[in-house]
Amino acid sequence: MALKPLVASLGLLAGTLVALTPGASAQAAAQASTTLYVAPSGTDSAAGTLDAPTTLSSAISRIAAGGTIYLRGGTYAYAQTVTVPDASDGTAAARTTLTAYQSEKPVLNFSAQAESSTNRGLQLFASYWHVKGLVVEHAGDNGIYVGGSGNIVERTVTRFNHDTGLQLGRIASTTPKSAWPANNLILSAESHDNADSDGEDADGFAAKLTTGTGNVFRYAVSHHNIDDGWDLYTKTDTGAIGPVTIEDSLAYSNGTLSDGTVNNNGDRNGYKLGGDDIAVNHVVRRSIAFGNGHHGFTYNSNPGSMAISNNLSIDNAERNYSFDKGTSVYKSNTSCRFAVDGSNDKTIGTADSSNQFWTGTNGSRCSSYSGALKWSYASDGKLVTTLGGKVVTL
């Protein structure tokens, strides 16, 4: 990490040499565009060095494919959407990076936006970018919207936005299905307290309506959103989406905001996995649903053959597992109740004896899963969840 100021200093030195050697100016400019620094006090025309930071929009327009934009800590106040356009792709071998500088905390604040579907926070329309360490809050619609493919969105926090915190979907209504966002990885991300005025749209995470194949959520945490923790909704107008994988993740207290606000218009599930009787074979594994306002895991009219394995569902208000249709396969799932009365689980499909579903009593594994829920991220980004002080291993 100590090398970063040195890079900036070399960039300034290169600028001094350009004044003496005009023929080197193009080379120096190209070198400068591979590393840019942004700060709340930055200006569009600044060099983008550590000592002369630029703005985020200017850095996005100037960064070379495979380069790195460092955001200094502090609050960035925006009234307009910040967009990474689809013409600014990185590559699979060298993603373009947009990241917090060292351990600093950049907060992109869009509280000046009114609630409106056109007022997103950060739009990632390019492919092969790596976005890391940002907080995006108070956007008039989605906090982060991913329309490109092959991206990694890591260690982000999306909070207090007026629609889903982090959503994947097509760039425009004219985007062909072949170009719907695919192969994106949402990694060690948190999304909470997202709420729309109607109380029925703002989820923590969503890959719905118009997403391609290969999208993965890993070590992600969704809590206290007004609607669902995850929403993989499909509808007849746009048809099936690509199968989504959710793994090693956590959804809790969705349907109730951190301040106690509840809106009964919301679905309030932990993991909502479908819509409109359209079959999509999602994969959900090693994930936890805890204390959500309706179901923990629900097929939501997805009649496909989903792989539901090694999950834990505790004290959700209705069913811990709710799958009324389809040919899904269930293995090694656990359902427990300690403090909330609810309905028996329903799991249409193939479920062997490795599962312990709730049918009026707790199974033997539930003795390991009682107590208060806590979670944190380990230094490597893996999600660590404890119940009653015991680490949960699924």
Side-chain angles (χ1 to χ4, degrees):
M1 302 301 284
L3 292 177
K4 291 170 187 169
L6 177 60
V7 172
S9 299
L10 290 175
L12 291 172
L13 177 60
T16 302
L17 292 175
V18 169
L20 301 173
T21 314
S25 59
Q27 180 180 0
Q31 290 174 342
S33 67
T34 62
T35 304
L36 292 170
Y37 294 84
V38 173
S41 60
T43 59
D44 286 342
S45 59
T49 62
L50 194 59
D51 294 329
T54 187
T55 62
L56 180 53
S57 58
S58 178
I60 290 170
S61 69
R62 292 155 55 186
I63 195 67
T68 299
I69 300 171
Y70 291 105
L71 269 68
R72 301 301 306 271
T75 298
Y76 297 74
Y78 295 109
Q80 303 295 325
T81 300
V82 175
T83 300
V84 181
D86 59 357
S88 56
D89 296 344
T91 66
R95 287 180 172 84
T96 304
T97 299
L98 172 63
T99 184
Y101 176 67
Q102 296 187 353
S103 60
E104 296 180 6
K105 184 178 180 180
V107 178
L108 279 55
N109 183 292
F110 294 87
S111 58
Q113 291 182 338
E115 182 174 343
S116 170
S117 61
T118 61
N119 283 340
R120 294 171 181 152
L122 176 65
Q123 292 185 143
L124 179 55
F125 288 168
S127 296
Y128 299 112
W129 276 59
H130 187 176
V131 177
K132 184 177 182 181
L134 313 186
V135 177
V136 183
E137 62 182 17
H138 297 293
D141 194 66
N142 304 124
I144 299 176
Y145 185 89
V146 180
S149 296
N151 297 294
I152 300 172
V153 181
E154 182 179 4
R155 295 287 188 109
T156 57
V157 178
T158 45
R159 63 191 187 191
F160 309 117
N161 300 292
H162 289 289
D163 204 332
T164 296
L166 191 158
Q167 181 168 332
L168 281 62
R170 66 186 177 187
I171 293 175
S173 60
T174 55
T175 302
K177 193 166 185 175
S178 60
W180 288 2
N183 301 311
N184 294 289
L185 173 61
I186 311 304
L187 182 64
S188 305
E190 179 186 3
S191 194
H192 69 92
D193 288 285
N194 298 289
D196 58 302
S197 57
D198 293 334
E200 57 183 351
D201 293 318
D203 311 298
F205 298 105
K208 61 184 180 181
L209 300 175
T210 55
T211 56
T213 61
N215 294 304
V216 175
F217 294 85
R218 181 181 299 142
Y219 309 134
V221 178
S222 180
H223 63 97
H224 293 103
N225 299 288
I226 203 67
D227 197 24
D228 302 305
W230 267 265
D231 191 353
L232 309 187
Y233 186 70
T234 52
K235 65 178 182 179
T236 304
D237 289 351
T238 46
I241 63 174
V244 174
T245 296
I246 303 172
E247 57 190 13
D248 303 297
S249 293
L250 170 64
Y252 70 96
S253 298
N254 290 291
T256 303
L257 302 181
S258 293
D259 65 5
T261 298
V262 175
N263 192 317
N264 290 327
N265 290 334
D267 291 334
R268 309 175 70 203
N269 302 293
Y271 303 82
K272 187 171 76 178
L273 305 177
D276 277 7
D277 289 309
I278 297 171
V280 185
N281 299 334
H282 300 305
V283 176
V284 184
R285 56 195 175 202
R286 299 185 303 275
S287 294
I288 300 172
F290 185 99
N292 296 289
H294 195 48
H295 301 310
F297 298 86
T298 177
Y299 85 125
N300 202 57
S301 79
N302 177 354
S305 183
M306 292 180 277
I308 311 297
S309 63
N310 296 90
N311 300 294
L312 174 62
S313 197
I314 298 175
D315 279 345
N316 299 284
E318 183 55 32
R319 291 174 179 163
N320 284 335
Y321 295 86
S322 183
F323 294 79
D324 292 3
K325 188 188 296 184
T327 57
S328 292
V329 177
Y330 313 89
K331 293 183 178 180
S332 300
N333 299 288
T334 304
S335 178
C336 307
R337 292 199 174 276
F338 301 105
V340 177
D341 292 331
S343 301
N344 287 353
D345 297 329
K346 192 169 185 179
T347 51
I348 300 299
T350 302
D352 62 21
S353 61
S354 66
N355 299 283
Q356 291 185 2
F357 292 120
W358 170 263
T359 56
T361 59
N362 284 335
S364 60
R365 291 197 292 264
C366 289
S367 61
S368 299
Y369 300 135
S370 62
L373 171 73
K374 294 184 179 181
W375 66 274
S376 62
Y377 284 118
S379 59
D380 61 2
K382 291 183 179 179
L383 176 63
V384 179
T385 304
T386 64
L387 287 165
K390 300 177 182 177
V391 174
V392 176
T393 302
L394 299 174

